[in-house]
Each structure stands twice: as structure tokens, then as C-alpha cells.
């Protein structure tokens, strides 16, 4: 690990100021992703701003009847919150389907939104990777791409967003609140994670330099049956090959988003509209522009079957 | 330089940052007009009830602080990437992977390691149950398994749901399926899992 200086501000404003003062600074929350990458020297910040004591650890009800989740709320606390379990079950289900008890105790809401891909070549610093080093190429195109994305990709990068939580946030239409050198703003989750351009560099988040995530807000509950189905190589503790987050109403309407198949949580309004017509109609919409590799083309029928299973479950 | 930075830091900027960090110890990536923060940090920890103050390189993980600086070698280093669970300790009562957190981030925190749970003469119930049920072979993962198990039972008691909890609005039960799912972050290469499960189940039964 490269050496770095460290500071621990005591408010969000102080954290943003600290970022502006330092060069090559990064925020650190749970550290479960950033430190992993720093050990591999994929990340080499010169300065770490520890945001664990700036507050933002509460889940509050909003005036509109939704919830405002502080960026430093841990994945464990969020999944265990009574209101989330009752009204936003898909979020609890998605979080507890990811990582382990130990990791979820440290992982934060903001850090999870920003977790890096698990593309094997991103981690192997001997291999070309546009996401790690713009312009070096993409080793995955001709390599092992079984776990990688099938849709929303370009030849610059075919990596998937590995988060479970993010898929649920997408189906819930969450908003990401940020504070930066130029003030506060709010980014809808659909615009928060970016698709790669045709050419590198691969920009993955809509954050501007120095912007700190302060909260994630959820709109008022929409009722319905909340499901998160994760297909993985083991029964527990593995990243999703494919996952489905859905909220289904009794009349057959609903919302659906997929994980493990794209560089961002994958949702289309037309796919939601196709739900009453069944899994094939939904998958046809979601995968209309799919460009899988030989290695991961299996994800297309797998995802359709996972959607079918979710729809069948909802009818039971 | 990584293009995956959350924020747009130009290659030049980062190179300058890390070059000065390497050359001018203590100045790091800081601009000249600000007070330089320390490259080394002083950390106050309460470990197994005892208060300790350590001077550490900022890079020191909590795991390395425990093992290399406090010589509490019960906590083990397995993968050092949060994947195997051998380094599990409790911080302020919650189980975490001590390899994926920096010691300097824990100023003022209370840490409990396997040494703090019990001693050979006066073992914790979970330690005794692992011995009784032969919940190990080589023993390398055992301290992490035991710390994880103790905190895991508290999580069930606090009503935290898991992936296998059938009803999110009901209290979770400490069933076999629940224990297995919740212990999946502790890998045992000898596959002593059935005996680990038996040990945890016995302790859970005695608590209930
Ligand atoms: C072995 C292992 C298995 C895992 N399995 C899964 C899984 O199955 N499913 C899953 O979804 N995830 C999984 N994860 C990933 C885990 O969920 C993430 O590591 C975690 O959510 C990151 O949160 P953090 O708070 O630790 O982030 P950090 O590591 O602290 O930060 C991550 C990034 O976010 C930035 N950041 C953090 N907070 C803020 C903020 N408030 N504002 C701006 N920037 C910020 C940091 O600078 C950094 O770039 C796994 C991780 C490991 C190590
Ligand atoms: S898919 Fe993306 S992350 Fe993987 S090697 Fe290619 S550019 Fe890198």
C-alpha cells in the first residue's frame, strides 16, 4: 500500500473542505472496498478523509412519507431497520443477499453505491484495463467474461456493477443527495451510475470532484410484494451472476430491475409495463440491445428464468 | 493511474500528489498553505478491557496493530482481503474483518479479540463448546469463527434479518439454516463445519 496522510473531520462541510485542501484525496467510509483496492495498489490516494465521525448515521422519515438514509448508515443497520423491513422489503432482501455479516457491519450506504466492479482484469494490474488505466485496452473482451455485463456495455469496458443494494435502490427510485465544493444537489439513482462511453476513460459515477454522498432518500412506500432473487455460484457469500429486484402488485403491474447484467442496475420503463405479459416479454425489452460474449450469453436465458421464478413466487 | 477514481483527479495532479508524498514525509498530498496532517497516527484503543495508545503508520490495519504491535496473535491473518473471516474481531460489540479497516480509524473504540473472550482456565462458553464438539482441525480459522459466532448470536437476538429469514417482519429464529447463512463469512479450509454448527447450536440453546 502506498503511504498517505489521514484526517478525520467532524462534519460533512469539514469533509468537503478537507477534500478541497488536499491533493489526491479520497473519502473513506467502511473501507471494505477502498482498502481492498489500496492493498492491491489499484487505488493510491495521497490523503484519506475518514468520514465515519461526520454524523449521517440516522434513518429519518421525510415530510413526503419516505425515508432519508444517512450515507454512513451501515448495510446491517439499513437492512435491519423496522421501517425498511416493513415498507421497503426489497432493500432489506437485497442487502442481506450480499457479502457477509462482518462486511455488512462496516459497509455503508454511500460506500456501497460507489463499490467497484469485480471484473478479474480490473484487479490484475498486469492486464490491460480501461477502467483502471484509460487507453490500455480491455482484457475482458477476449478473456474470461462469464461474470461480466451483457447489456449497456461498449468495447471500452464490459464490466458489471456488482452491488445487490444498488439494484433495490433502482427499483425503489431512490435519490442520492450529495454535498460538494459547489453546494448540495440531488441525483436520481437512474442517473447516478453511468454506462461506459465508446472510448475510454470509463466514467462510472455522476459525482463531481469532491462531492460527498450525504444521504439516499426513498419515496413513500408503494406497497406490493417485494422480492429480491439472487442467482449465484454458491448458496451464500458470492456475487450475483444475475439478480432480480421486483415490486409486484396484485393486479399484475409492478417494477423490475436486474443486477449482474449491466454496468449499472438495469431497469427500463417499458419492461415494467411488460410485467403483466410475463417473463419473456420483460426480458425481451431489457435485453433488446444485449451484446453478450460467448462466455456470458448464458445470462440472457438465466435472467429470463429468474424473472419467471419471481413472477411465479409473487402469485403464491 | 486508476481512471476509476470517484472524482476527476488528473493524472498529473495525482502524480504530483504521490511524488511529493514519497519525497516529503509528512506533507503528502497537501497543498503548501494548509497544516500538514500526520503520516503517522496516534491511536487510543481499549483492547480486551485494557487501554492502549499506539503510534502507527497510517497504513496499519487493525489486524496488524493487534498482532504486530500488541502481540495479540490469537487473531489470524488469512487472505488479508476480507474474504476468509480469520481476522474477525468485535469492535464496540460488532463483528468485523480487522484486515479491512485501518487502526487509525478506531481511535477510542473497544476491541474484543479471542484473548479477551476467555482464557484456557476460564473459557467463554463458545470456546468451551468448540473444544467439546471438536469444531476445528488445524485451528487457524477458529479464533475468527468463535468471535464471529458470539457476535452473530447477538445479531439474531437483536432481531437482525438474514438472507434465509422467511418473514422480514417477524423475529428471526436461531435455526440451523440461519446459523449456517450467518456464518458464511468464516471459511474453514478443513471443513469442520458440522462440528462448528454443533458448538454454536449448543451455546445458543443454553442462552435461550
Ligand atoms: C469479500 C467481499 C465480498 C463482497 N460481496 C458482496 C456482495 O455479494 N454483494 C454486494 O453488493 N457487495 C459485496 N461486497 C462489497 C461491499 O458491499 C462493499 O465493499 C461495501 O458496500 C463498500 O462500502 P464501504 O462503506 O466499505 O465503502 P468504502 O470502501 O469506504 O468506499 C468505497 C468507495 O466509496 C467512496 N465513498 C465512501 N463513502 C462515500 C461518501 N459518503 N461520499 C463519497 N464517496 C464515498 C470511497 O472513496 C471509495 O471510493 C463484498 C466485499 C467483499 C470484500
Ligand atoms: S471489462 Fe472493464 S474492468 Fe474489465 S478489463 Fe475491461 S475495461 Fe477493465
Amino acid at each position: 500500500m502506498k503511504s498517505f496522510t489521514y484526517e478525520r473531520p467532524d462534519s460533512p462541510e469539514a469533509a468537503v473542505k478537507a477534500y478541497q485542501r488536499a491533493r489526491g484525496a479520497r473519502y473513506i467510509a467502511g473501507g471494505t472496498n477502498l482498502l481492498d483496492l489500496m492493498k492491491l495498489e489499484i487505488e493510491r490516494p495521497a490523503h484519506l478523509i475518514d468520514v465515519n465521525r461526520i454524523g449521517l448515521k440516522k434513518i429519518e422519515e421525510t415530510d413526503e412519507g419516505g425515508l432519508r438514509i444517512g450515507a454512513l448508515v451501515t448495510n446491517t443497520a439499513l437492512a435491519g431497520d423496522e421501517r425498511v423491513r416493513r415498507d421497503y422489503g426489497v432493500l432489506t432482501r437485497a442487502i442481506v443477499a450480499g457479502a457477509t455479516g462482518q462486511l455488512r457491519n462496516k459497509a455503508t450506504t454511500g460506500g456501497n453505491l460507489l463499490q467497484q466492479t469485480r471484473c478479474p482484469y480490473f484487479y490484475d494490474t498486469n492486464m490491460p484495463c480501461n477502467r483502471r488505466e484509460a487507453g490500455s485496452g480491455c482484457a475482458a473482451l477476449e478473456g474470461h467474461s462469464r461474470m461480466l455485463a451483457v447489456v449497456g456495455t461498449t468495447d471500452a469496458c464490459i464490466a458489471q456493477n456488482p452491488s445487490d443494494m444498488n439494484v433495490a435502490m433502482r427499483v425503489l427510485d431512490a435519490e442520492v443527495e450529495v454535498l460538494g465544493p459547489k453546494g448540495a444537489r440531488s441525483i436520481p439513482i437512474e442517473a447516478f451510475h453511468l454506462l461506459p462511453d465508446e472510448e475510454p476513460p470509463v466514467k462510472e459515477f455522476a459525482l463531481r470532484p469532491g462531492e460527498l454522498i450525504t444521504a439516499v432518500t426513498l419515496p413513500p412506500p408503494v406497497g406490493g410484494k417485494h422480492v429480491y432473487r439472487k442467482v449465484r455460484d454458491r448458496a451464500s457469500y458470492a456475487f450475483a451472476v444475475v439478480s432480480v429486484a421486483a415490486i409486484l402488485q396484485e393486479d399484475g403491474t409492478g417494477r423490475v430491475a436486474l443486477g449482474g447484467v449491466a454496468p449499472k442496475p438495469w431497469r427500463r420503463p417499458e419492461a415494467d409495463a411488460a410485467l403483466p405479459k410475463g417473463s419473456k416479454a420483460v426480458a425481451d425489452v431489457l435485453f433488446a440491445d444485449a451484446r453478450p460474449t460467448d462466455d456470458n450469453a448464458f445470462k440472457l436465458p438465466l435472467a429470463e428464468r429468474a424473472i419467471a421464478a419471481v413472477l411465479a413466487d409473487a402469485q403464491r | 493511474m486508476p481512471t476509476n477514481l470517484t472524482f476527476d483527479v488528473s493524472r498529473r495532479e495525482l502524480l504530483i500528489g504521490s511524488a511529493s508524498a514519497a519525497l516529503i514525509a509528512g506533507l503528502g498530498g497537501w497543498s503548501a498553505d494548509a497544516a500538514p496532517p500526520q503520516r503517522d497516527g496516534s491511536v487510543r484503543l481499549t483492547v480486551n478491557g485494557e487501554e492502549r495508545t499506539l503510534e502507527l503508520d497510517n497504513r496499519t490495519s487493525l489486524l496488524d496493530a493487534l498482532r504486530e504491535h500488541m502481540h495479540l496473535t490469537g487473531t489470524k491473518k488469512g487472505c488479508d482481503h476480507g474474504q476468509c473471516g480469520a481476522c474477525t474481531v468485535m469492535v464496540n460489540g460488532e463483528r468485523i474483518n480487522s484486515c479491512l479497516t485501518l487502526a487509525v480509524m478506531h481511535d477510542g473504540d473497544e476491541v474484543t479479540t479471542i484473548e479477551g473472550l476467555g482464557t484456557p482456565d476460564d473459557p467463554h462458553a463458545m470456546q468451551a463448546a468448540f473444544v467439546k464438539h471438536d469444531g476445528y482441525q488445524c485451528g487457524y480459522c477458529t479464533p475468527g469463527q468463535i468471535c464471529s459466532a458470539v457476535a452473530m448470536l447477538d445479531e439474531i437476538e437483536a432481531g437482525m434479518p438474514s438472507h434465509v429469514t422467511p418473514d422480514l417482519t417477524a423475529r428471526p429464529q436461531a435455526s440451523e439454516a440461519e446459523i449456517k447463512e450467518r456464518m458464511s463469512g468464516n471459511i474453514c479450509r478443513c471443513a469442520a463445519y458440522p462440528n462448528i454448527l454443533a458448538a454454536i447450536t449448543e451455546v445458543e440453546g443454553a442462552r435461550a
Side-chain angles (χ1 to χ4, degrees), chain A residues 90 94 147-152 159-173 189-190 193 195 227-231 239-248 254-272 275 278-290 296-311:
Chain A
V90 65
M147 291 297 285
L148 304 189
V150 293
V151 67
Q160 86 283 30
N161 184 304
S163 168
D164 293 295
M165 184 194 84
N166 294 348
V167 192
M169 290 294 192
R170 179 68 186 92
V171 98
L172 289 167
D173 285 330
I189 186 82
E190 62 194 279
H193 296 98
L195 296 177
V227 197
Y228 188 74
R229 192 178 185 100
K230 182 173 178 180
V231 184
F239 284 97
V241 177
V242 157
S243 70
V244 184
I247 302 176
L248 300 163
R255 308 167 173 201
V256 60
L258 300 184
V261 299
K264 60 189 284 186
W266 200 242
R267 184 170 170 209
R268 284 276 170 280
E270 315 87 76
D272 287 1
L275 274 168
S279 59
K280 177 156 191 326
V282 174
D284 281 350
V285 174
L286 289 172
F287 293 132
D289 301 315
N296 66 22
F298 76 94
K299 286 195 181 189
L300 272 55
L302 180 63
E304 188 194 321
R305 287 198 291 269
I307 298 166
V310 163
L311 294 178

Side-chain angles (χ1 to χ4, degrees), chain A:
Chain A
M1 196 186 290
K2 299 284 187 211
S3 69
F4 53 84
T5 47
Y6 169 87
E7 75 178 304
R8 192 169 48 222
D10 58 10
S11 71
E13 294 74 18
V16 174
K17 278 219 180 74
Y19 185 96
Q20 289 174 279
R21 252 195 335 256
R23 294 198 201 101
R26 293 295 291 268
Y27 299 120
I28 184 165
T32 61
N33 196 220
L34 185 58
L35 288 171
D36 198 3
L37 295 169
M38 284 169 64
K39 287 184 184 195
L40 298 166
E41 298 192 0
I42 293 166
E43 295 283 10
R44 287 160 291 181
H47 185 64
L48 279 188
I49 302 165
D50 179 353
V51 294
N52 283 288
R53 305 199 188 171
I54 62 171
L56 310 181
K57 291 191 177 176
K58 280 202 226 96
I59 306 176
E60 297 158 323
E61 279 149 44
T62 62
D63 294 344
E64 294 75 42
L67 288 182
R68 183 167 188 274
I69 304 154
L72 274 302
V73 170
T74 64
N75 281 183
T76 297
L78 181 54
D81 185 270
E82 238 171 77
R83 296 157 293 186
V84 176
R85 285 154 70 176
R86 187 187 62 221
D87 297 330
Y88 304 94
V90 65
L91 183 55
T92 290
R93 287 278 179 218
I95 291 172
V96 297
T100 66
Q102 289 98 313
L103 288 162
R104 294 192 299 267
N105 281 344
K106 279 257 100 190
T108 63
T109 309
N112 198 327
L113 279 173
L114 294 170
Q115 69 169 289
Q116 261 299 344
T117 184
R118 295 275 158 178
C119 171
Y121 304 105
F122 177 78
Y123 287 83
D124 184 347
T125 47
N126 295 310
M127 301 299 277
C129 170
N130 283 329
R131 190 175 282 250
R132 178 166 32 77
E133 196 175 326
S136 63
C138 169
L141 290 175
E142 306 276 315
H144 297 287
S145 51
R146 181 176 172 275
M147 291 297 285
L148 304 189
V150 293
V151 67
T153 60
T154 67
D155 281 355
C157 179
I158 61 168
Q160 86 283 30
N161 184 304
S163 168
D164 293 295
M165 184 194 84
N166 294 348
V167 192
M169 290 294 192
R170 179 68 186 92
V171 98
L172 289 167
D173 285 330
E175 294 252 340
V176 184
E177 289 179 22
V178 304
L179 180 70
K182 298 203 177 105
R185 65 181 180 124
S186 169
I187 309 168
I189 186 82
E190 62 194 279
F192 186 81
H193 296 98
L194 307 178
L195 296 177
D197 289 329
E198 290 297 330
E199 297 294 330
V202 180
K203 184 159 168 30
E204 31 212 350
F205 308 110
L207 288 180
R208 298 181 191 135
E211 279 184 334
L212 173 81
I213 300 176
T214 51
V216 176
T217 47
L218 300 179
V222 293
K225 188 162 171 143
H226 287 229
V227 197
Y228 188 74
R229 192 178 185 100
K230 182 173 178 180
V231 184
R232 45 184 159 175
D233 291 337
R234 312 185 273 270
S236 183
Y237 194 16
F239 284 97
V241 177
V242 157
S243 70
V244 184
I247 302 176
L248 300 163
Q249 307 293 347
E250 261 171 34
D251 62 3
T253 62
R255 308 167 173 201
V256 60
L258 300 184
V261 299
K264 60 189 284 186
W266 200 242
R267 184 170 170 209
R268 284 276 170 280
E270 315 87 76
D272 287 1
L275 274 168
K277 289 192 232 140
S279 59
K280 177 156 191 326
V282 174
D284 281 350
V285 174
L286 289 172
F287 293 132
D289 301 315
R291 47 192 302 278
T293 63
D294 289 347
D295 257 11
N296 66 22
F298 76 94
K299 286 195 181 189
L300 272 55
L302 180 63
E304 188 194 321
R305 287 198 291 269
I307 298 166
V310 163
L311 294 178
D313 266 2
Q315 264 151 27
R316 273 196 304 192

